[in-house]
Amino acid sequence: MRPETNGFREAISLDGIWYCRADKDGLGHSNGWAKGWSVTDPDSHPIAVPGSWNEQLAEAGLMNFEGPMWYQRQVRIPERAAGADIMLHFGSADYRAEIFCNGQRVGKSGPLMLPFAVDIGAVARPGKIITLVVKVTARLPKHGPMQEVRSEDYVAEGRARDEYWPAVRFDFFPFGGLNRSVHLCLLPKLRIENVTIDTGWSGGKSSLGVSTETKGGSGKLRLLIDGERLDQPFEAGIQARFTPYVQPWSPDNPVLYDCSIELLGETGQVLDRIERRIGFRTLRVEGLQLLLNDQPIILKGFGKHEDTPVHGRGVNLPMLVKDFGLLDWIGANSVRTSHYPYDEAFLDMADERGILVISECFSVNLDFRKISDEDQNAHRSALEAQFARDRHHASVVAWSLSNEPGYLAEPEYGARSGPYWRDLFDYARQLDSSRPMTVANVQYAGNADPAFDYCDFLTINRYHGWYSEPGQLDRASSALTETLDDLAKAHEKPIFISEFGADAVAGMHATIDQMWTEEYQSDLIALYWQIIAEHQNCIGGHVWNFADFRTAQHGRRAVMNRKGVFTRERDPKRSAFTLKKLWGAGT
């Protein structure tokens, strides 16, 4: 459950300056670091939370460090915690963490890049100070929707020229740390434990479904929209259906309502309350169209990353505000959370600003040479956690279950992935049948991707004119058109181009079609958008990328992937002005 403060719950921010130390020899446990250490030790560093350690501590030699990194801070438990359940809530710990209080292990993280909470009531005492220690590692697990890769794997596979440092399976930097907020939460013993909210709008009518679970006992629940009670109290564990009189949410009218769910005692007194901001809309696929509130819509926007200078992947609220201002300036209406669930503050602002979000699971380049039941079970768990956190957000209009599986063009992908996707899509639709679902296809996996059979709309990443047909816009145009025609003929589904673009170094120019120049990036993007706008199967496209972002070191990257239409600092390149005109936002 998301941390919140009201008359029944309290969320105390633990954000600020912590202390950390790098466990380069793996001796932290044996050296007793779980109990804490003196912050005056020479290998102890102050570190901002939320924030990645990499750029903050680059001068300490930790830019490429993958952990374990041990974090420490002192926390005083308020006297008012007496009689409450005492929890620690982490927005995420990238990528895995163990939690210790006063030297005692109290829990660990769950699915990657998603929230988790641990109960510290057995250790924490009201009015007393605890030593909170968090061991964080940025190494990925061997199994799951996001698999580990090591330097020796590149060598063994004969792909030494493809090696990144630090070794990763994706083209963005593996920022480590407590990148999202940490809270101390005081909760009532008898409380609402889980809430599922589904909203819809069709035929001029709204729909609202609410189901809850309670902890510590049972009780009646009631629902209020903008302070007005709807119907009679309902039971926990049973979905209640309502038809409130509301306006539909859309990019042009992102109207939101305060939704309160209250747990009632035997005499009708309120024992607990959960508060959410919700909007009413429906997005579905019908024929070759994507319909929002029964009206066709074209997606125009970006793939993006949580990546800013110094913060790394850490929450950066000023830059969040800036980014949404730029999305509005350029005329975008949508974003894919490539390639992981973003901090919930992003979704809050998307709700308020009317930006459509394709929420993507942290699953990149899934390798079907080594796929197992363990991988699929972990993939299911990740979807469960992601859907539970994000489904009440009006802005979240579709789920992407993975990005670019079959990236190595391994023959096992075509041979083995069909049953995997069938089962995963079936499970995902059991969790949430209210939104379309897709998988982002990579060019190396080809136009016969087994995932296409189960997608509501086809999602493709294509780089004709960059990774293929480099510098040749005429050939790129022909190749993209042929791809779209082939997919349209084979599947009769809407097609969404979720990635297209070209690197451009800000300030680099040429009078010819020259790669890496601002002109070439701008011309390629304009060419793609013309094809997207004219093809009957296309429901839009997302430029890759919104802004330049840091990558692991590689011979084809000059520190960053420079496909952004804005620099990492958010200065516009020529392509930003081109898109502003193409998307009708003026000159």
Side-chain angles (χ1 to χ4, degrees):
M1 292 289 288
R2 187 177 189 178
E4 60 181 286
T5 297
N6 54 39
F8 308 92
R9 296 166 170 253
E10 184 174 4
I12 303 166
S13 175
L14 300 184
D15 293 353
I17 301 298
W18 294 43
Y19 285 85
C20 69
R21 63 193 305 177
D23 192 1
K24 296 182 178 180
D25 299 319
L27 299 176
H29 278 291
S30 59
N31 289 338
W33 292 2
K35 297 179 180 179
W37 59 87
S38 171
V39 298
T40 61
D41 287 353
D43 60 352
S44 183
H45 306 280
I47 187 166
V49 173
S52 306
W53 68 62
N54 310 84
E55 291 184 50
Q56 285 191 69
L57 300 177
E59 287 70 33
L62 299 173
M63 181 69 217
N64 298 312
F65 184 64
E66 298 177 274
M69 181 77 79
W70 295 71
Y71 284 71
Q72 173 187 269
R73 68 160 290 168
Q74 305 295 309
V75 178
R76 182 179 291 278
I77 307 300
E79 294 279 3
R80 60 186 178 276
D85 279 349
I86 307 172
M87 310 287 290
L88 287 172
H89 183 280
F90 296 81
S92 70
D94 301 331
Y95 295 111
R96 295 177 288 162
E98 293 180 86
I99 318 302
F100 303 87
C101 287
N102 294 338
Q104 181 176 327
R105 186 179 186 274
V106 292
K108 65 178 183 178
S109 58
L112 309 184
M113 301 192 76
L114 284 164
F116 64 98
V118 296
D119 189 334
I120 61 170
V123 180
R125 294 290 179 267
K128 302 297 183 181
I129 294 176
I130 63 169
T131 298
L132 172 59
V133 173
V134 184
K135 176 189 175 186
V136 182
T137 176
R139 292 296 301 242
L140 293 165
K142 291 184 179 180
H143 293 284
M146 191 65 255
Q147 303 153 322
E148 175 193 45
V149 66
R150 300 166 298 173
S151 293
E152 50 265 38
D153 293 331
Y154 285 106
V155 176
E157 295 167 2
R159 299 192 303 120
R161 291 183 61 183
D162 296 330
E163 181 180 349
Y164 283 95
W165 177 249
V168 290
R169 194 173 288 283
F170 42 69
D171 187 33
F172 52 94
F173 196 86
F175 290 108
L178 298 177
N179 287 319
R180 296 172 185 169
S181 290
V182 183
H183 287 89
L184 176 70
C185 298
L186 310 182
L187 307 176
K189 294 286 187 181
L190 175 56
R191 63 179 180 270
I192 301 168
E193 185 70 359
N194 290 301
V195 173
T196 300
I197 300 174
D198 291 313
T199 67
W201 179 275
S202 184
K205 293 184 179 180
S206 69
S207 63
L208 174 62
V210 179
S211 59
T212 65
E213 298 176 13
T214 59
K215 184 173 184 178
S218 60
K220 296 282 188 178
L221 296 113
R222 70 182 178 192
L223 179 73
L224 298 91
I225 299 293
D226 277 359
E228 295 186 11
R229 189 176 69 191
L230 298 185
D231 299 329
Q232 297 301 313
F234 57 96
E235 300 286 344
I238 299 175
Q239 187 178 64
R241 306 295 306 184
F242 304 93
T243 309
Y245 182 73
V246 293
Q247 298 180 54
W249 181 98
S250 71
D252 294 330
N253 185 38
V255 59
L256 298 171
Y257 296 87
D258 292 320
C259 175
S260 299
I261 302 168
E262 297 179 339
L263 176 63
L264 306 178
E266 293 183 0
T267 61
Q269 76 275 28
V270 179
L271 303 177
D272 189 21
R273 179 186 296 122
I274 294 296
E275 298 169 346
R276 298 288 183 267
R277 294 273 284 166
I278 64 173
F280 292 80
R281 85 291 169 272
T282 296
L283 193 129
R284 74 181 192 276
V285 171
E286 186 173 290
L288 298 179
Q289 292 183 319
L290 191 64
L291 302 181
L292 175 66
N293 302 332
D294 302 327
Q295 299 299 314
I297 191 165
I298 297 297
L299 300 175
K300 48 185 180 179
F302 299 93
K304 206 172 178 297
H305 271 298
E306 291 182 310
D307 176 287
T308 58
V310 184
H311 292 71
R313 190 150 292 115
V315 176
N316 185 337
L317 295 180
M319 196 67 89
L320 184 68
V321 172
K322 174 73 172 178
D323 286 356
F324 274 88
L326 289 173
L327 289 171
D328 181 64
W329 173 84
I330 207 169
N333 67 6
S334 53
V335 165
R336 177 172 60 124
T337 66
S338 43
H339 300 296
Y340 39 81
Y342 288 1
D343 185 81
E344 205 163 356
F346 177 88
L347 299 179
D348 290 340
M349 191 160 287
D351 291 343
E352 294 177 5
R353 300 291 287 268
I355 294 296
L356 308 174
V357 176
I358 299 174
S359 181
E360 189 160 81
C361 181
F362 187 32
S363 174
V364 187
N365 302 164
L366 193 57
D367 188 347
F368 277 80
R369 297 171 304 175
K370 55 181 73 172
I371 209 72
S372 67
D373 290 343
E374 185 177 353
D375 294 298
Q376 188 165 55
N377 289 336
H379 208 154
R380 288 184 172 197
S381 296
L383 294 178
E384 288 175 12
Q386 180 183 354
F387 289 13
R389 192 198 72 164
D390 293 352
R391 68 185 296 165
H392 77 276
H393 285 281
S395 57
V396 176
V397 294
W399 304 113
S400 174
L401 307 191
S402 188
N403 178 71
E404 297 193 344
Y407 177 81
L408 301 177
E410 67 271 24
E412 291 86 352
Y413 181 67
R416 302 178 63 186
S417 67
Y420 185 96
W421 296 126
R422 180 194 63 218
D423 294 346
L424 192 69
F425 272 87
D426 284 349
Y427 186 72
R429 290 183 173 114
Q430 291 174 27
L431 296 174
D432 180 19
S433 61
S434 69
R435 291 173 172 88
M437 298 188 185
T438 192
V439 162
N441 159 269
V442 67
Q443 188 168 337
Y444 303 126
N447 294 345
D449 192 329
F452 285 156
D453 290 338
Y454 308 101
C455 293
D456 292 302
F457 57 91
L458 309 186
T459 298
I460 63 171
N461 300 342
R462 291 296 183 269
Y463 290 97
H464 301 294
W466 190 256
Y467 294 126
S468 64
E469 302 86 33
Q472 304 162 79
L473 294 180
D474 53 345
R475 289 184 61 204
S477 175
S478 298
L480 178 61
T481 301
E482 182 180 345
T483 293
L484 295 175
D485 289 343
D486 287 347
L487 289 173
K489 182 178 179 180
H491 295 281
E492 296 184 352
K493 293 182 179 182
I495 303 171
F496 171 58
I497 305 181
S498 52
E499 291 185 24
F500 65 95
D503 286 81
V505 177
M508 187 172 177
H509 302 282
T511 58
I512 60 171
D513 288 341
Q514 178 64 57
M515 295 172 69
W516 296 92
T517 64
E518 292 191 39
E519 288 79 11
Y520 186 80
Q521 181 191 52
S522 176
D523 291 346
L524 184 145
I525 287 173
L527 172 67
Y528 267 69
W529 194 257
Q530 179 182 356
I531 294 171
I532 289 170
E534 294 176 353
H535 201 283
Q536 66 175 359
N537 284 64
C538 278
I539 57 171
H542 279 174
V543 177
W544 189 260
N545 191 280
F546 176 77
D548 295 347
F549 56 92
R550 182 179 282 275
T551 69
Q553 295 186 61
H554 191 281
R556 65 178 180 178
R557 297 283 179 249
V559 182
M560 288 180 284
N561 185 312
R562 299 180 185 270
K563 292 187 180 66
V565 304
F566 300 99
T567 67
R568 198 182 191 209
E569 295 74 24
R570 278 35 176 193
D571 293 326
K573 302 177 189 176
R574 178 171 179 166
S575 54
F577 297 96
T578 298
L579 283 169
K580 183 176 173 67
K581 293 179 181 178
L582 290 170
W583 289 346
T587 57

